[in-house]
Amino acid sequence: MICAMHNDFDNLNMLRPNSEPRTTEYIEEIIQFIQGLFSSGHAYVAVNGDVMFSIKNYKNYGSLSLQNFDKLRITCNIPNKYKNIKKNLKDFVLWKICNSKNFVWNSPWGDGRPGWHVGCSVMNTKNLGCHFDIHGGGSDLIFPHHENELAQSVSLYGGSYVNIWMHVGLVTLEYKKISKSLNNFLNLRDVLRMYDGEVIRYFLISLHYRKPLNYTIKNFENSYIALRRLYISLFGMNMNISPKENSKNYLYKFCMAMNDDFNIPKAFSILFDISRKINKLKIVNFNKAQELAARLKQLANILGFLQKDPSFFLKNGKKENTFENTKIEMLIKERDKARSLSQWYIADTIRNKLFKMGIFVEDTAHGTLWYR
């Protein structure tokens, strides 16, 4: 599964993290963490043998999620046989006693496995320290997961644990959360059969990170069209030139947008502003257009876009058509030959044939451009 995850993320141009800790590698440290909570009076053994975190001595429980526990229906869907095993129904598991032979470790409280939240606290503090800057996650993890992680970490180490919590909006399908439990989830590899990975990446960050993102074919198509516009402006440009000082104002504007709580929509607007100017300058001042193209590629690369050859993306960015590129290229060459001989009727006939195949042809000063 980890190898499959890496392959999927690579297809989205995601950089690998420096470290990918696993809970199973920190069992000894987790047991020590729980023992520390016992010593500070924040843990106890429940009636059924599970080790529980007691929120009684933690006064700020709910400060992250701002839950109103007076209105929270904490008894809902809890079987009667489980209602008397904890001192408080809001207490949560630190160590779960298990009879299964799989994924079970020895502990002072019996054979079992870590609770859902404790592994995160231990891996974070061991790799980042007891107090660090940024903690990320989906908005569905604010409560109870991050609330519980915060409670147990602060109870043992004191301090604020995390300076900034960054929670991303969920991807929805027909405005419902995508999840296996609802059986409405999508495999990334299935979507990659339809669009290039850069299109999917564009779609996923097209809104501000805290807002929910609704999956529809139309939204994917809009992402493809938008990305195609950027690639069209780079067509015929030298992609190996570094940006120059006279376009540095765009870098400044881009950084201002990104520093504003990762305002990606604003950053996108800057990219399209550069793209429009490139298209105008290609005719009147090619060198200036080239300078702006270098800046556009530099800024887009920060977001993981425009990393392919423009000609390749424009031909392969959308994969739902099955026409062979060799057949298309052959027709393009026939049309170019007809145009060179001023055989306009033949050239127009080939253009119309390509159009019926779903291929759009554009004649530029740098050659014939085609895309689906």
Side-chain angles (χ1 to χ4, degrees):
M1 290 301 296
I2 292 173
C3 290
M5 178 194 72
H6 284 157
N7 184 58
D8 287 345
F9 288 177
D10 289 346
N11 283 323
L12 295 185
N13 294 339
M14 290 175 62
L15 300 179
R16 298 278 181 92
N18 297 78
S19 176
E20 291 181 310
R22 309 177 192 181
T23 306
T24 52
E25 300 170 343
Y26 290 81
I27 298 300
E28 183 177 341
E29 290 86 350
I30 288 173
I31 291 174
Q32 294 172 357
F33 183 92
I34 296 173
Q35 288 174 325
L37 290 174
F38 267 105
S39 299
S40 62
H42 289 91
Y44 66 93
V45 178
V47 175
N48 66 342
D50 291 348
V51 178
M52 310 298 299
F53 178 87
S54 174
I55 69 164
K56 180 180 179 181
N57 297 328
Y58 180 68
K59 304 301 182 182
N60 293 323
Y61 192 71
S63 60
L64 178 65
S65 59
L66 303 179
Q67 290 283 346
N68 185 337
F69 293 107
D70 293 331
K71 296 182 178 180
L72 191 65
R73 297 172 61 190
I74 59 176
T75 60
C76 184
N77 297 328
I78 299 178
N80 289 328
K81 64 179 181 179
Y82 293 123
K83 288 184 178 180
N84 297 319
I85 65 173
K86 298 190 287 186
K87 295 180 180 179
N88 187 314
L89 282 174
K90 294 191 287 290
D91 293 347
F92 55 87
V93 176
L94 296 169
W95 187 266
K96 182 73 175 176
I97 299 299
C98 301
N99 296 322
S100 172
K101 295 181 180 179
N102 298 322
F103 303 107
V104 172
W105 292 267
N106 299 121
S107 80
W109 315 284
D111 293 348
R113 56 176 173 76
W116 177 27
H117 322 290
V118 67
C120 294
S121 288
V122 172
M123 289 188 290
N124 281 336
T125 53
K126 291 297 179 181
N127 287 278
L128 303 173
C130 300
H131 180 209
F132 53 96
D133 279 327
I134 300 173
H135 193 312
S139 57
D140 56 336
L141 298 180
I142 299 175
F143 184 84
H145 182 48
H146 287 162
E147 189 73 72
N148 292 348
E149 181 188 340
L150 176 64
Q152 64 197 10
S153 299
V154 172
S155 295
L156 184 59
Y157 298 118
S160 58
Y161 184 52
V162 172
N163 288 341
I164 300 170
W165 292 85
M166 295 179 66
H167 292 101
V168 300
L170 303 178
V171 180
T172 61
L173 182 63
E174 295 180 355
Y175 300 99
K176 294 180 180 178
K177 173 187 171 182
I178 290 180
S179 68
K180 284 190 175 182
S181 60
L182 296 176
N183 198 32
N184 68 341
F185 65 94
L186 301 162
N187 283 324
L188 179 58
R189 271 149 285 173
D190 293 336
V191 186
L192 281 167
R193 294 189 184 100
M194 300 168 58
Y195 295 98
D196 183 89
E198 285 194 12
V199 176
I200 302 172
R201 184 181 181 88
Y202 187 101
F203 163 74
L204 289 172
I205 68 170
S206 56
L207 292 181
H208 191 272
Y209 73 88
R210 281 189 270 109
K211 293 184 177 180
L213 186 63
N214 192 41
Y215 167 84
T216 64
I217 293 297
K218 182 179 179 181
N219 286 342
F220 263 118
E221 186 68 14
N222 289 339
S223 297
Y224 164 68
I225 293 171
L227 197 54
R228 188 180 68 189
R229 285 174 55 195
L230 297 178
Y231 267 110
I232 289 174
S233 64
L234 294 183
F235 182 75
M237 300 285 101
N238 186 340
M239 293 294 95
N240 298 316
I241 295 178
S242 300
K244 296 185 178 180
E245 287 291 320
N246 52 11
S247 63
K248 202 170 184 178
N249 61 314
Y250 287 111
L251 174 61
Y252 173 76
K253 292 178 181 178
F254 182 87
C255 290
M256 288 291 290
M258 294 297 287
N259 287 342
D260 181 18
D261 195 22
F262 294 106
N263 191 341
I264 298 289
K266 178 64 176 178
F268 277 179
S269 71
I270 295 167
L271 299 184
F272 284 104
D273 184 30
I274 301 174
S275 175
R276 285 189 293 269
K277 291 187 177 179
I278 292 173
N279 293 333
K280 292 179 180 179
L281 288 169
K282 277 183 178 181
I283 302 173
V284 297
N285 191 335
F286 182 77
N287 289 334
K288 180 64 175 178
Q290 180 64 73
E291 292 175 8
L292 289 178
R295 183 65 71 185
L296 174 61
K297 182 174 174 60
Q298 178 207 33
L299 299 181
N301 281 184
I302 295 172
L303 301 176
F305 304 126
L306 305 188
Q307 298 186 349
K308 294 180 170 61
D309 179 85
S311 181
F312 175 85
F313 178 87
L314 292 169
K315 297 171 185 176
N316 300 282
K318 190 174 181 180
K319 304 175 182 179
E320 63 180 1
N321 294 286
T322 58
F323 307 120
E324 293 183 1
N325 284 3
T326 51
K327 181 179 179 181
I328 298 169
E329 292 285 2
M330 184 175 67
L331 290 170
I332 293 292
K333 288 181 179 179
E334 289 180 11
R335 181 175 177 274
D336 287 343
K337 182 179 179 180
R339 293 180 73 243
S340 68
L341 298 173
S342 298
Q343 296 174 340
W344 308 118
Y345 176 78
I346 296 176
D348 290 343
T349 300
I350 295 174
R351 176 195 282 270
N352 292 335
K353 182 176 181 180
L354 288 165
F355 184 76
K356 290 178 180 179
M357 294 167 61
I359 304 301
F360 182 79
V361 178
E362 182 178 341
D363 299 313
T364 76
H366 313 288
T368 303
L369 174 65
W370 68 265
Y371 47 86
R372 295 188 171 92

